[in-house]
């Protein structure tokens, strides 16, 4: 596996990402936490990529476990015009950008709402979007952990089946990062102008559980059940329930096992 290098990532980047400052570090707690601590002092977008994280953060207060060299772990701080209520679809737009890039590199992935990337039904990548409002803008720190290899002992520690992508692990990591960054930057620039609406069809084309019976969980408790019908123009999950269609703004979805009751 080749070394990460800011200069090499930059050299491979599309023009959409040429204005992004790039930092690589051998180890840190969390690249998301690092950038969030610097919002307000950042002159422009920054990509921070780590070989290893000792306190990786996941969605809903969970932790993100990894091993050095087994995953690509990065965060991108990006400034948006806002307003804040336009930002609800951002995690789903990021999912589209990263999924489309990975598919274009030869690894078929789909999205589980809101933005987990699945390969053959197991999680290949997780995305954590954290926003912070300043006086004149809204900043988002977009973190992604993409499993390249999955050592057995790490999977055992995570406690469920996790996907990996040995094909991507063989790639030059700087080129892989540049490909992800180029498309992500293009999507973020468009999202800031238009919101999520133009990404709706692209997200729905990648939806892993379209038409499947799912349950909506909140802290492990089943809140709703219904048939997943994709997302709407602001990124809400559409669920067809016995009481009609409902729009879901937050939570985790899981496939419904037969006999599960809400
Ligand atoms: O699926 C999830 O729960 C989201 C996981 C996000 C993990 C990435 S790794 C790089 C960045 N830094 C963090 O602390 N978290 C994100």
């Amino acid at each position: 596996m080749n070394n990460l290098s800011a200069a090499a990532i930059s050299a491979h980047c599309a023009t959409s990402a040429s204005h992004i400052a790039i930092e690589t570090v051998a180890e840190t707690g969390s690249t998301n936490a690092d950038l969030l601590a610097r919002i307000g002092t950042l002159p422009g977008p920054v990509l921070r990529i780590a070989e290893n994280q000792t306190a990786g953060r996941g969605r809903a207060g969970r932790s993100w476990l990894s091993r050095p060299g087994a995953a690509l772990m990065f965060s991108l701080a990006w400034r948006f015009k806002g307003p804040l209520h336009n930002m609800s679809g951002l995690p789903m737009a990021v999912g589209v950008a990263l999924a489309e890039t990975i598919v274009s590199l030869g690894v078929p992935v789909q999205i589980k709402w809101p933005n987990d990337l699945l390969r053959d039904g197991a999680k290949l990548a997780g995305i954590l979007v954290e926003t912070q409002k300043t006086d004149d803008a809204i900043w988002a720190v977009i973190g992604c952990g993409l499993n390249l290899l999955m050592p057995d002992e790490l999977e055992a520690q995570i406690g469920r089946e996790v996907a990996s992508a040995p094909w991507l692990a063989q790639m030059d990591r700087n080129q892989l990062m540049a490909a992800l960054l180029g498309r992500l930057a293009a999507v973020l620039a468009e999202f800031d102008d238009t919101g999520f609406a133009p990404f709706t069809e692209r997200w729905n084309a990648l939806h892993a559980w379209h038409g499947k019976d799912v349950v909506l969980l909140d802290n492990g408790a089943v809140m709703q059940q219904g048939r997943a019908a994709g997302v709407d123009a602001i990124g809400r999950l559409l669920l067809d329930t016995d009481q009609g269609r409902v729009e879901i703004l937050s939570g985790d979805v899981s496939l419904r096992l037969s006999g599960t009751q809400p």
Side-chain angles (χ1 to χ4, degrees):
M1 207 167 284
N2 63 316
N3 284 340
L4 289 166
S5 137
I9 296 169
S10 226
H12 290 296
C13 265
T15 47
S16 57
S18 56
H19 61 305
I20 300 173
I22 300 175
E23 308 172 342
T24 60
V25 283
E27 183 169 286
T28 185
S30 153
T31 51
N32 262 44
D34 291 348
L35 289 179
L36 276 170
R38 289 161 53 195
I39 299 292
T41 67
L42 299 177
V46 179
L47 174 80
R48 187 166 172 86
I49 173 165
E51 293 281 1
N52 192 32
Q53 289 188 136
T54 53
R57 303 194 334 196
R59 288 181 52 238
R62 293 182 284 257
S63 48
W64 175 266
L65 300 176
S66 58
R67 291 286 178 280
L72 197 66
M73 290 169 279
F74 62 91
S75 300
L76 175 63
W78 194 271
R79 185 183 191 279
F80 294 86
K81 310 190 277 278
L84 197 55
H85 65 257
N86 275 2
M87 302 289 289
S88 65
L90 178 62
M92 298 77 184
V94 171
V96 169
L98 299 181
E100 286 180 346
T101 312
I102 292 169
V103 171
S104 76
L105 295 171
V107 177
V109 290
Q110 292 182 303
I111 309 179
K112 174 193 152 191
W113 188 85
N115 58 14
D116 283 348
L117 305 194
L118 305 187
R119 178 177 193 194
D120 295 331
K123 184 156 163 173
L124 180 71
I127 296 165
L128 172 66
V129 178
E130 300 182 273
T131 49
Q132 198 167 300
K133 201 174 170 330
T134 60
D135 285 345
D136 60 344
I138 295 161
W139 281 83
V141 174
I142 295 155
C144 174
L146 166 62
N147 299 325
L148 300 175
L149 302 169
M150 185 44 63
D152 288 346
E153 44 92 19
L154 178 56
E155 191 169 39
Q157 200 183 344
I158 293 169
R160 59 182 156 77
E161 196 197 339
V162 189
S164 62
W167 171 249
L168 296 182
Q170 284 174 30
M171 266 185 81
D172 177 314
R173 284 195 297 165
N174 298 309
Q175 281 189 32
L176 172 60
M177 187 64 248
L180 293 164
L181 187 60
R183 190 171 307 227
L184 186 54
V187 162
L188 297 179
E190 186 181 345
F191 177 90
D192 202 17
D193 287 337
T194 64
F196 182 72
F199 299 98
T200 313
E201 268 183 44
R202 284 158 70 180
W203 194 100
N204 284 330
L206 288 158
H207 187 189
W209 292 348
H210 206 83
K212 294 254 168 41
D213 286 327
V214 299
V215 289
L216 177 77
L217 302 167
D218 185 14
N219 277 324
V222 176
M223 308 304 289
Q224 291 262 18
Q225 68 178 42
R227 189 153 292 180
V231 293
D232 67 8
I234 59 169
R236 295 178 301 188
L237 177 69
L238 302 172
L239 258 195
D240 288 330
T241 73
D242 290 345
Q243 289 73 44
R245 178 161 284 191
V246 294
E247 294 90 17
I248 307 294
L249 259 172
S250 65
D252 281 316
V253 282
S254 211
L255 280 177
R256 185 162 79 94
L257 305 171
S258 49
T260 309
Q261 294 299 317

